[in-house]
């Protein structure tokens, strides 16, 4: 397929493709789009000709995406979101809003490491919604690898992740440092300690998430936890039951009540750097720029309160 052939698709074909994919049939998509079924069929056929292969498997029951269709689906959604975002930003700019006043519109999609999201999302969103009431926020928590996959696919605008090393087409900015502690029952011998060294973790019955285990092993070599678990609530329950001690960022003691009956003992020589990640070369909407500024401002407040450490 040459370049001239490749640019033959138009936004109508992309909208029709997404409608058919979402509804599972051409007739249902036509009803939603308020156009004739033959018009939808024709545009899908033209798109498939442009793609040099079928995007759907047709049957009496409806349609299913082919492997090629699945490959195109994420990109089609990204293209449509970018066009909508660009249209909204230019419209706001032409009306004199320029991204700094009450009337900026759009949707911001962000993912963060759970322990960071717990600290930042609530306080940031409350203040941000007062200043930008027309901006819709979609805030999720996910591990680094999942967040970076979604960022590369264009399904989120930015992410807060652990330091993953160099990644093609993604730009990382150091945001904060998280102190890590061992959480243990109050009556244990460990709870009387002022701190423990990172190397001592190999002798303890630790419960740890995959992300923190990867960070620890990158800094200090292999470790063998008794339980590896993602999710703070489950880890806290295991510690309360006496099955082990939990390796977790110290900040959770102040952002979640599930840790209130456990003692946090800081770990020396082990901390985690959190990075703000964005896609290199991808246009950033006015809404996303505004929310990034709000996140960075709230991070500075949290650092000032001692919740996080400066990078």
């Amino acid at each position: 397929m040459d370049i001239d052939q490749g640019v033959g698709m138009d936004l109508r074909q992309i909208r029709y493709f997404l409608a058919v994919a979402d509804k599972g049939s051409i007739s249902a998509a036509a009803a939603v789009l308020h156009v004739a079924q033959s018009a939808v069929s024709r545009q899908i056929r033209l798109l498939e000709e442009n793609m040099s292969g079928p995007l759907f498997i047709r049957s009496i029951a409806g349609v299913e995406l082919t492997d090629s269709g699945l490959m195109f689906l994420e990109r089609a959604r990204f293209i449509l979101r970018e066009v909508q975002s660009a249209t909204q930003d230019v419209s706001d700019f032409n009306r004199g809003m320029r991204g700094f006043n009450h009337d900026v519109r759009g949707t911001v999609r962000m993912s963060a490491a759970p322990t960071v999201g717990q600290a930042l999302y609530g306080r940031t969103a409350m203040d941000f919604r007062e200043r930008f009431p027309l901006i819709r926020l979609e805030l999720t928590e996910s591990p680094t690898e999942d967040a970076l996959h979604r960022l590369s696919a264009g399904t989120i605008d930015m992410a807060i992740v652990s330091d993953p090393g160099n990644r093609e087409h993604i730009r990382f900015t150091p945001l904060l440092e998280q102190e890590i502690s061992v959480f243990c029952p109050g009556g244990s011998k460990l709870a009387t300690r002022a701190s423990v060294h990172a190397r001592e973790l190999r002798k303890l019955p630790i419960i740890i998430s995959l992300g923190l285990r990867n960070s620890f092993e990158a800094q200090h070599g292999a470790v063998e936890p008794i339980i590896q678990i993602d999710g703070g609530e489950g880890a806290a329950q295991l510690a309360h039951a006496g099955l082990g001690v939990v390796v977790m960022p110290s900040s959770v003691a102040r952002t979640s009540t599930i840790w209130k009956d456990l003692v946090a003992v800081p770990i020396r020589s082990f901390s985690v750097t959190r990075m703000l990640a964005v896609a290199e070369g991808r246009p950033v909407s006015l809404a996303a720029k505004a929310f990034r500024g709000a996140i960075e401002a709230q991070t500075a407040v949290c650092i000032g309160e001692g919740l996080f450490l400066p990078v």
Side-chain angles (χ1 to χ4, degrees):
M1 182 174 68
D2 62 31
I3 292 176
D4 289 338
Q5 185 183 12
V7 296
M9 77 178 74
D10 59 30
L11 288 176
R12 176 175 52 177
Q13 291 171 355
I14 293 174
R15 282 196 294 268
Y16 286 14
F17 167 79
L18 289 173
V20 173
D22 289 341
K23 294 299 178 181
S25 82
I26 291 175
S27 59
V32 169
L33 295 165
H34 304 292
V35 298
Q37 185 173 333
S38 59
V40 177
S41 295
R42 180 173 184 277
Q43 293 303 323
I44 294 298
R45 191 164 55 252
L46 289 172
L47 183 60
E48 289 178 321
E49 289 174 4
N50 191 53
M51 296 285 188
S52 302
L55 299 173
F56 294 102
I57 300 170
R58 279 84 166 168
S59 70
I60 297 175
V63 298
E64 280 185 46
L65 288 165
T66 63
D67 289 342
S68 298
L70 287 168
M71 184 183 299
F72 184 57
L73 183 63
E74 270 191 355
R75 291 166 172 82
R77 285 177 174 155
F78 171 70
I79 290 166
L80 204 56
R81 279 198 303 270
E82 285 296 298
V83 170
Q84 291 167 344
S85 176
T87 301
Q88 186 65 62
D89 281 356
V90 173
S91 175
D92 288 349
F93 184 87
N94 286 337
R95 292 203 305 266
M97 297 171 186
R98 302 178 187 270
F100 297 106
N101 85 23
H102 221 66
D103 300 315
V104 178
R105 300 170 183 265
T107 299
V108 180
R109 300 170 180 87
M110 182 176 190
S111 182
T115 56
V116 178
Q118 290 167 13
L120 290 180
Y121 278 165
R123 296 199 292 183
T124 304
M126 284 190 290
D127 177 65
F128 187 81
R129 288 286 296 169
E130 286 185 13
R131 293 186 294 123
F132 298 93
L134 300 181
I135 294 179
R136 183 167 177 261
L137 300 175
E138 294 183 5
L139 308 176
T140 57
E141 297 175 354
S142 59
T144 289
E145 288 302 320
D146 178 62
L148 291 177
H149 172 75
R150 294 166 63 197
L151 187 62
S152 295
T155 59
I156 57 175
D157 300 294
M158 65 189 91
I160 299 176
V161 299
S162 301
D163 185 355
N166 293 327
R167 295 293 180 101
E168 191 176 5
H169 306 311
I170 296 179
R171 184 170 71 253
F172 298 96
T173 303
L175 186 65
L176 58 93
E177 194 88 10
Q178 279 189 297
E179 178 187 65
I180 310 299
S181 289
V182 173
F183 286 79
C184 56
S188 66
K189 184 177 179 180
L190 184 61
T192 64
R193 299 272 300 272
S195 65
V196 298
H197 195 278
R199 62 174 172 267
E200 294 182 71
L201 295 192
R202 294 189 179 87
K203 302 175 184 177
L204 295 174
I206 64 169
I207 300 165
I208 191 170
S209 68
L210 175 61
L212 279 179
R213 181 179 183 178
N214 288 340
S215 294
F216 179 87
E217 293 185 341
Q219 297 177 40
H220 297 286
V223 67
E224 289 296 332
I226 60 163
I227 300 174
Q228 181 176 296
I229 182 173
D230 289 329
E233 186 170 351
Q237 289 174 347
L238 292 171
H240 280 117
L243 294 182
V245 296
V246 180
V247 179
M248 188 68 66
S250 306
S251 60
V252 300
R254 292 169 56 183
T255 59
S256 175
T257 58
I258 62 175
W259 305 96
K260 66 179 181 179
D261 295 326
L262 297 172
V263 175
V265 182
I267 302 172
R268 302 194 307 278
S269 302
F270 179 37
S271 62
V272 174
T273 301
R274 302 296 187 182
M275 320 284 281
L276 184 64
V278 296
E280 190 80 63
R282 184 179 299 162
V284 180
S285 69
L286 295 177
K289 286 180 181 178
F291 192 66
R292 174 174 178 163
I295 284 287
E296 290 174 333
Q298 188 59 56
T299 298
V301 171
C302 289
I303 290 172
E305 294 175 350
L307 196 62
F308 301 133
L309 303 173
V311 180

